[in-house]
Amino acid sequence: MRPANPCFSSGPCAKRPGWSLNALSDALVGRSHRSTEGRARLNEVITRSKAILGMPEDWVLGIVPASDTGAVEMVLWSILGTRPVDVLAFESFSATWANDIIAQLKLPDARVLKADYGEIPDLAQVDWARDVVLTWNGTTSGARLPYDAAIPTQRDGLVICDATSAAFAMDLPWEKLDVVTWSWQKVLGGEAAHGMLALSPRAVQRLVSTPAPRALPKIFRLTNSKGLIDGIFRGDTINTPSMLCVEDALDGLKWAEDAGGLKGLIARSEANLAAIADWEAQSGWAQFLAPNPKHRSSTAICLRIVAPWFTALDHAGQTAAAKKIVSLLGQEGVAMDVGSYRDAPPGLRLWGGATVETADLRAVLPWLDWAYAQVRAQHA
């Protein structure tokens, strides 16, 4: 038994079931994104996204360059600096945002609240009078914040949320957030390079009333002398977008609607996590990197190897052994790109987002056991 689709990469992620290049046949290639038709399709990405996600009507949503990274950096540089900041760092990308705030923006009153891979920081330590930067789902650690995370709805600071591997697979508490970012290439399996930036009325007010205390390059600017550059949130873009990518994003959004909208997407992703959880409970060698079931990601599903022979190896040995398992799976064509992130503990990471069929995940699990056994035999 082999997965029908062996693509389990955590980004770019598997295309939606049934996808083919024919889905892009109506793309406006060779046309300007500034044309009436081009603007209409960009705006359609925005309106369909807001509808599926259940975003509050008074929020604005725009398409920005450079994927989720571009969206996050745009906000960090445009908003932060007028209030103290707390940053939650519990995996690679959240650690990157912390480093940018400390080492690049050099904010004088910034605290970093850390947690190990697989854990989340203690939210009771957060001062919500400060601006707070957090990642909802740890793409590289397999840990996520729960829907009922203790974030107050009444707070003085803004909550800036990187939701790149959470949007469309997890229910986000919009009333507890002020900025939300994601990219096209995660849960809906879109093509890369474009990011989405959602702003609450409070975030817009901050941008307009309190300009960033630094010079900003054009690619980061969300305001001008007249206030918010609202064209960005209607389909105008700061740079030239790929109309092929736009068409692919629309294809993914239409599929999401047919799959039951947000509720259906969440159900598909949670079914994937449940399939791996059933296998993990019987495995003698693999465990979730996130020990608390409440905090386990349903998209970036990270596994650590706990067999004594493996844990007895030094870090270099563990890394080499895990890479052998990944290589065997790739050579057999049953699971592509399933190694843990380079900064994470050596192990496996399988994408469980909505575009992945649960049947494919179930089919690959015996192959994980097979590849592990092959490498284990080399260390006997």
Side-chain angles (χ1 to χ4, degrees):
M1 295 292 294
R2 292 171 177 266
N5 183 357
C7 297
F8 299 105
S9 163
S10 291
C13 301
K15 309 299 289 184
R16 54 98 173 158
W19 183 92
S20 75
L21 283 171
N22 290 333
L24 309 183
S25 60
D26 292 332
L28 290 177
V29 292
R31 291 293 308 279
S32 170
H33 62 295
R34 305 287 189 195
S35 67
T36 300
E37 296 87 349
R39 280 192 169 100
R41 294 203 186 179
L42 287 159
N43 186 64
E44 186 179 355
V45 171
I46 293 170
T47 55
R48 286 182 183 270
S49 297
K50 289 187 69 172
I52 293 171
L53 290 170
M55 188 180 299
E57 189 64 32
D58 56 359
W59 281 54
V60 295
L61 176 63
I63 300 168
V64 299
S67 192
D68 178 66
T69 300
V72 174
E73 295 286 9
M74 180 181 265
V75 169
L76 298 186
W77 286 75
S78 297
I79 287 183
L80 296 186
T82 59
R83 299 180 72 91
V85 183
D86 279 357
V87 192
L88 276 60
F90 59 101
E91 48 89 53
S92 298
F93 292 103
S94 54
T96 296
W97 311 145
N99 181 70
D100 284 356
I101 290 167
I102 300 297
Q104 303 301 322
L105 290 172
K106 301 183 186 301
L107 299 187
D109 191 358
R111 300 190 306 167
V112 180
L113 307 178
K114 297 181 180 180
D116 293 334
Y117 276 80
E119 306 284 352
I120 64 170
D122 180 6
L123 295 182
Q125 302 301 313
V126 177
D127 181 354
W128 301 102
R130 304 159 72 93
D131 288 336
V132 178
V133 178
L134 55 84
T135 298
W136 195 266
N137 183 79
T139 309
T140 66
S141 72
R144 63 175 165 181
L145 300 183
Y147 178 80
D148 60 356
I151 302 172
T153 54
Q154 299 296 321
R155 56 194 178 273
D156 294 330
L158 298 179
V159 177
I160 299 170
C161 173
D162 172 3
T164 192
S165 56
F168 296 101
M170 301 170 196
D171 206 1
L172 296 171
W174 297 98
E175 72 281 1
K176 297 181 179 181
L177 308 173
D178 294 291
V179 178
V180 178
T181 68
W182 66 91
S183 59
W184 292 355
Q185 72 265 31
K186 293 296 186 183
V187 176
L188 296 186
E191 292 305 294
H194 302 78
M196 301 297 286
L197 172 61
L199 302 173
S200 73
R202 295 180 72 238
V204 172
Q205 177 62 26
R206 173 77 71 82
L207 280 167
V208 172
S209 64
T210 313
R214 63 189 62 88
L216 295 175
K218 177 182 178 181
I219 205 166
F220 278 4
R221 293 175 201 156
L222 293 167
T223 60
N224 56 25
S225 59
K226 299 179 181 179
L228 189 71
I229 305 175
D230 55 4
I232 295 172
F233 306 97
R234 294 197 306 265
D236 292 349
T237 55
I238 297 172
N239 68 332
T240 303
S242 162
M243 298 310 292
L244 276 171
C245 291
V246 170
E247 197 70 18
D248 192 58
L250 285 172
D251 176 75
L253 289 164
K254 292 172 184 177
W255 169 80
E257 293 164 353
D258 291 340
L262 182 61
K263 186 176 180 180
L265 298 175
I266 291 173
R268 289 177 62 89
S269 185
E270 292 294 337
N272 290 336
L273 175 60
I276 293 186
D278 289 343
W279 168 83
E280 185 261 1
Q282 305 299 321
S283 174
W285 62 273
Q287 291 182 0
F288 286 108
L289 187 56
N292 187 339
K294 187 177 181 180
H295 297 156
R296 286 176 190 158
S297 170
S298 64
T299 55
I301 303 172
C302 297
L303 301 168
R304 63 191 182 102
I305 300 171
V306 296
W309 71 267
F310 183 89
T311 58
L313 300 173
D314 60 18
H315 185 268
Q318 291 182 8
T319 300
K323 285 184 176 180
K324 288 179 182 178
I325 294 173
V326 172
S327 179
L328 285 170
L329 294 167
Q331 291 169 19
E332 286 292 330
V334 293
M336 313 305 294
D337 312 314
V338 295
S340 59
Y341 192 74
R342 60 179 178 267
D343 297 332
L348 303 175
R349 179 176 60 156
L350 290 90
W351 184 251
T355 58
V356 173
E357 299 278 30
T358 303
D360 285 338
L361 268 177
R362 289 198 181 104
V364 82
L365 295 174
W367 285 98
L368 302 187
D369 291 325
W370 167 81
Y372 165 80
Q374 299 299 307
V375 176
R376 171 68 183 93
Q378 298 173 15
H379 290 266

